[in-house]
């Protein structure tokens, strides 16, 4: 680890470039997680319902993150390694399947690119030490959660709960937050949105958010401590409100349709992890200038 830290400090641009490429590769895998995990969850729920109702579960082929292999969703032709190079393959194939010429969604290379950029920013900020490595994991999980929530209004426990427990474990070494601050942050993050949920439901009879949002804020509190909760809530609320109003005004979004809150929590949590202290410090200097 000392060698990696030395490389990071001695050759920051080179190391950042390598991490950018690593981020592209991870982004390709995140595309698989984003697409397949909700399907896997749906199949599991159907199987559980069939078992509960004592019905015969419909036969289904094996489907997980590793199987079946990558293939074109239109012609089902397998995608070889050379056709699955992050970002580059999309550009060389001009955004189409080389076998059936079906257009490939630009979202796939975009997720690869944004994962590469965010990974590079993380290492530039933290360096290639333990903080940087775990901040990368934190970033990758948040990217997957963000897109899944946009697509399905769903924050899978298989992602939020490991993120929560990892944050609590890291507090034992004070990597991002002290243990007591981490524990209080996890509890406060969960109870804060849980309270908002019930106040809104009792007042309107509707559910304003899902339990996944509680767990995600709990995870963010576990990583950064309770002190970061106000900043995360403020940033996520401002961005969420701005995006929601924009969708209604400029795109005619139906006000009755739910707008997922998880992506804004994830974005605010990522910003708070990287620049939270700087943001709070700048605010305090503006609010209480030195005399």
């Amino acid at each position: 680890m000392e060698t990696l830290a030395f490389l990071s400090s001695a050759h920051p641009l080179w190391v950042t470039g390598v991490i950018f490429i690593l981020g592209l590769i991870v982004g390709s895998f995140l595309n698989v997680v984003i697409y397949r995990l909700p399907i896997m969850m749906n199949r599991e729920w159907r199987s559980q319902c069939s078992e509960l109702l004592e019905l015969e579960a419909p036969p289904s082929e094996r489907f997980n993150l590793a199987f079946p292999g990558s293939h074109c969703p239109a012609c089902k032709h397998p995608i070889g390694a050379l056709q699955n190079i992050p970002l580059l393959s999309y550009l060389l194939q001009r955004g189409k399947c080389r076998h059936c010429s079906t257009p490939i969604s630009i979202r796939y290379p975009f997720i690869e690119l944004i994962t590469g950029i965010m990974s590079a920013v993380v290492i530039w900020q933290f360096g290639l030490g333990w903080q940087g490595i775990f901040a990368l994991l934190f970033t990758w999980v948040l990217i997957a959660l963000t897109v899944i929530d946009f697509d399905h209004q769903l924050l899978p426990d298989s992602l939020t709960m490991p993120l929560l427990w990892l944050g609590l474990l890291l507090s034992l070494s004070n990597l991002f937050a002290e243990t007591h601050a981490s524990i209080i942050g996890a509890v406060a993050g969960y109870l804060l949105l849980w309270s908002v949920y019930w106040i809104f439901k009792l007042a309107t009879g509707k559910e304003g958010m899902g339990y996944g949002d509680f767990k995600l804020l709990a995870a963010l509190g576990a990583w950064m401590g309770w002190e970061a909760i106000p900043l995360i809530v403020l940033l996520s609320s401002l961005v969420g409100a701005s995006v929601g109003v924009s969708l209604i005004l400029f795109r005619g979004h139906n006000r009755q349709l739910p707008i997922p809150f998880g992506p804004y929590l994830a974005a605010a949590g990522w910003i708070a992890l990287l620049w939270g202290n700087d943001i709070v410090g700048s605010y305090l200097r503006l609010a209480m200038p030195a005399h």
Side-chain angles (χ1 to χ4, degrees), residues 57-204:
S60 60
E61 62 181 12
R62 185 159 61 103
F63 187 89
N64 51 46
L65 297 181
F67 186 88
S70 298
H71 58 275
C72 173
C75 67
K76 308 301 181 182
H77 192 279
I79 299 176
L82 294 179
Q83 302 161 24
N84 209 19
I85 302 173
L87 197 60
L88 185 60
S89 292
Y90 183 87
L91 297 175
L92 293 176
Q93 295 172 197
R94 299 180 180 180
K96 298 179 180 180
C97 172
R98 64 177 298 184
H99 295 279
C100 67
S101 298
T102 298
I104 301 171
S105 173
I106 197 171
R107 191 174 83 168
Y108 295 112
F110 176 77
I111 290 174
E112 293 168 354
L113 180 60
I114 199 68
T115 304
I117 293 173
M118 292 176 68
S119 299
V121 170
V122 164
I123 293 303
W124 185 266
Q125 181 74 8
F126 289 111
L128 203 56
W130 287 117
Q131 272 195 328
I133 290 173
F134 282 107
L136 282 176
L137 292 174
F138 178 83
T139 300
W140 297 337
V141 173
L142 290 187
I143 291 172
L145 286 169
T146 294
V147 184
I148 290 174
D149 202 24
F150 264 128
D151 287 346
H152 304 281
Q153 287 77 57
L154 178 69
L155 293 169
D157 284 352
S158 55
L159 295 178
T160 55
M161 297 311 294
L163 192 68
L164 168 62
W165 294 119
L166 181 58
L168 292 172
L169 285 174
L170 291 178
S171 72
L172 297 176
S173 60
N174 295 338
L175 199 62
F176 295 101
E178 296 181 352
T179 303
H180 73 279
S182 176
I183 295 173
I184 295 173
V187 175
Y190 188 92
L191 291 181
L192 176 62
L193 292 188
W194 178 85
S195 301
V196 172
Y197 167 89
W198 279 107
I199 291 172
F200 183 83
K201 185 172 184 179
L202 291 173
T204 65

Side-chain angles (χ1 to χ4, degrees), residues 31-43:
N31 277 321
V32 176
V33 174
I34 289 164
Y35 173 72
R36 297 193 181 193
L37 185 56
I39 296 176
M40 292 162 55
M41 295 174 64
N42 185 269
R43 291 189 176 196

Side-chain angles (χ1 to χ4, degrees), residues 254-269:
N254 188 340
R255 299 186 184 188
Q256 302 301 318
L257 295 177
I259 298 176
F261 189 50
Y264 310 118
L265 279 177

